Each structure stands twice: as structure tokens, then as C-alpha cells.
Amino acid sequence: MQKLIKQAISARSHAYCPYSGFQVGAALECEDGTVFTGCNVENAAYGPSNCAERTAVFKAVSEGHRSFKRIAIVGGHEGENVAPTPCGVCRQVLSEFCDPSFEVIMATGEEEYEVVTLGELLPRSFSL
Ligand code: THU
């Protein structure tokens, strides 16, 4: 758990967020133990911005990984640590690949975190 949070903290340092100033880092652990990290990447047109969680998921899927165990998320403005709760779009993207038992670790530090399941965050998610 601590190692995954540490990787999310490291990914946060790459956040590109000149518009919100809110930095987010995520570390997505695959069932085989591989970890993909991500940060938020904003855009002057706002709409094309991408959250840290989706960056990590898209990196993983584009590298051939689709089985995920858990994700750690950290964030905050410069000098602050808050535990970001994934936005609705990211919850839906996670639900495309993950079971309701998938763990979402929302952390403010390596020893300070809350674990919730995707099923708790997005009950009755849409699927085809
Ligand atoms: N953001 C994330 O990357 N993940 C979250 O869980 C919440 C929000 C980003 C989107 C935007 O770049 C900034 O944080 C402020 O909303």
C-alpha cells in the first residue's frame, strides 16, 4: 500500500495544471503487479483536460494491460495534501475494466489513506 501511494506521490510531481493549480497523481496496480502511473494534464480549452486516473488507465490499456487490482490517488494545491475522490468520468472509465470490488485508495500520505471500492463510488454503473 505504502509503495503504491509513494508512486502516486511521485507521479503528482509531473502534473500539468496551470489552470486549476490542483496537482493529482495516480498509481494503478495491475493484477500481475505492474504499476502504471498518471498525472492530470490540463489544456487551455479546459475540455480536453485529462485526470490523473484516466491517464494511468489509458497508459495501461494502451500497453496491453486490462486487469486491475487497485489505484492510489493523491493530490492538492502546491504545498497541500488532500485525498482526491475520482470524478464521475473517471469512475465510469474504471468501471469499464474493474469489478465493483476494485479498491480506490485516496491518500494524503503514505500512512494516511482511505480505501473505498469502485462499487461504493459508482453503484449501478452503465455497461452494455
Ligand atoms: N483531477 C484529477 O486528475 N483527478 C481527480 O480525482 C479529481 C480532479 C484533476 C482535474 C483537473 O486537472 C484538476 O484536478 C482540478 O479539477
Side-chain angles (χ1 to χ4, degrees), residues 2 5 23-24 26 44 51 68 70 72-73 91 104:
Q2 277 83 357
I5 295 171
Q23 310 162 340
V24 185
C51 291
F68 306 124
R70 54 189 182 168
I73 311 162
R91 294 177 196 199
V104 178

Side-chain angles (χ1 to χ4, degrees), residues 6-78:
K6 208 171 181 176
Q7 287 169 293
I9 292 169
S10 175
R12 172 182 166 169
S13 68
H14 302 301
Y16 177 73
C17 52
Y19 306 104
S20 73
F22 193 81
Q23 310 162 340
V24 185
L28 176 68
E29 188 179 332
C30 304
E31 290 288 3
D32 70 0
T34 311
V35 172
F36 289 88
T37 60
C39 65
N40 52 333
V41 183
E42 297 184 349
N43 185 276
Y46 290 21
S49 300
N50 205 52
C51 291
E53 297 91 323
R54 272 177 289 146
T55 301
V57 170
F58 295 155
K59 280 174 67 178
V61 173
S62 65
E63 298 287 336
H65 292 259
R66 293 182 186 173
S67 299
F68 306 124
K69 187 176 173 193
R70 54 189 182 168
I71 191 169
I73 311 162
V74 298
H77 292 96
E78 191 71 43

